[in-house]
Amino acid sequence: MPVPAFEQDDRLRWVERVSRLLDSQFRVPGTNWRFGLDPLMGLLPVVGGLPSLAISGLLILTMMRHGASGNLVVRMVFNVVLDTLIGAIPIVGNIFDFAYKANDRNVALLRAHYAEGRYQGSGKGLLLVLLLVLLAVGGLFVWAAWMLGAALWHWGESVQW
């Protein structure tokens, strides 16, 4: 079955539109400097990066379902994780968010993947492994937060106020 070109696949064009909205939709007047909603959301302390991370995850899942290889998905996840971790650092992270544009990078990677004819079909196996790893990591974070809360609670009880 012939593989549709990137531009002919509506689902992949949707990925490109959402990516542009997150990373490069707006232009600073008088310059070629572009930015999107991702760095603007990152200005909100603590929770600002979460919507962007969720949307980036959906974009990667969509790309994976439409032919991204396992190696390509790992590179895409690395881009998003790097953007999220550095973006979480106050001030430095905000500057990084305006410059890095992980989603635009991922769309460029997928375009190159398609152009090279390396389309691989569905990535359901890799998706299952990624979901299991994310659930395990999420479970560890919940457990660690619970243990930290319990330790702080017991410490607070032992301190003479």
Side-chain angles (χ1 to χ4, degrees), residues 6-144:
F6 188 96
E7 290 79 14
Q8 295 171 338
D9 193 326
D10 288 336
R11 296 163 296 198
L12 296 176
R13 287 195 330 229
W14 170 83
V15 166
E16 190 169 42
R17 285 191 306 270
V18 172
S19 173
R20 185 174 41 254
L21 178 65
L22 286 173
D23 288 345
S24 58
Q25 182 71 41
F26 312 107
R27 185 176 57 84
V28 175
T31 70
N32 289 330
W33 190 56
R34 302 189 74 79
F35 65 96
L37 294 179
D38 180 28
L40 297 177
M41 288 186 291
L43 295 173
L44 296 171
V46 183
V47 297
L50 296 178
S52 177
L53 177 61
I55 294 169
S56 295
L58 286 173
L59 293 177
I60 290 173
L61 289 175
T62 302
M63 290 184 239
M64 200 165 78
R65 289 180 53 212
H66 298 289
S69 67
N71 181 37
L72 183 63
V73 169
V74 168
R75 290 171 58 195
M76 291 175 176
V77 168
F78 174 79
N79 282 336
V80 170
V81 168
L82 180 67
D83 184 42
T84 301
L85 290 177
I86 295 178
I89 301 169
I91 301 170
V92 172
N94 295 358
I95 295 167
F96 184 79
D97 273 345
F98 276 98
Y100 190 66
K101 302 177 186 350
N103 297 302
D104 282 350
R105 289 172 186 263
N106 287 347
V107 169
L109 286 171
L110 187 65
R111 277 185 167 281
H113 192 69
Y114 260 68
E116 293 169 5
R118 294 178 13 202
Y119 173 85
Q120 304 225 340
S122 173
K124 290 179 183 173
L126 184 60
L127 174 61
L128 180 61
V129 169
L130 283 175
L131 286 175
L132 290 174
V133 168
L134 288 175
L135 283 173
V137 169
L140 284 173
F141 276 121
V142 169
W143 175 79

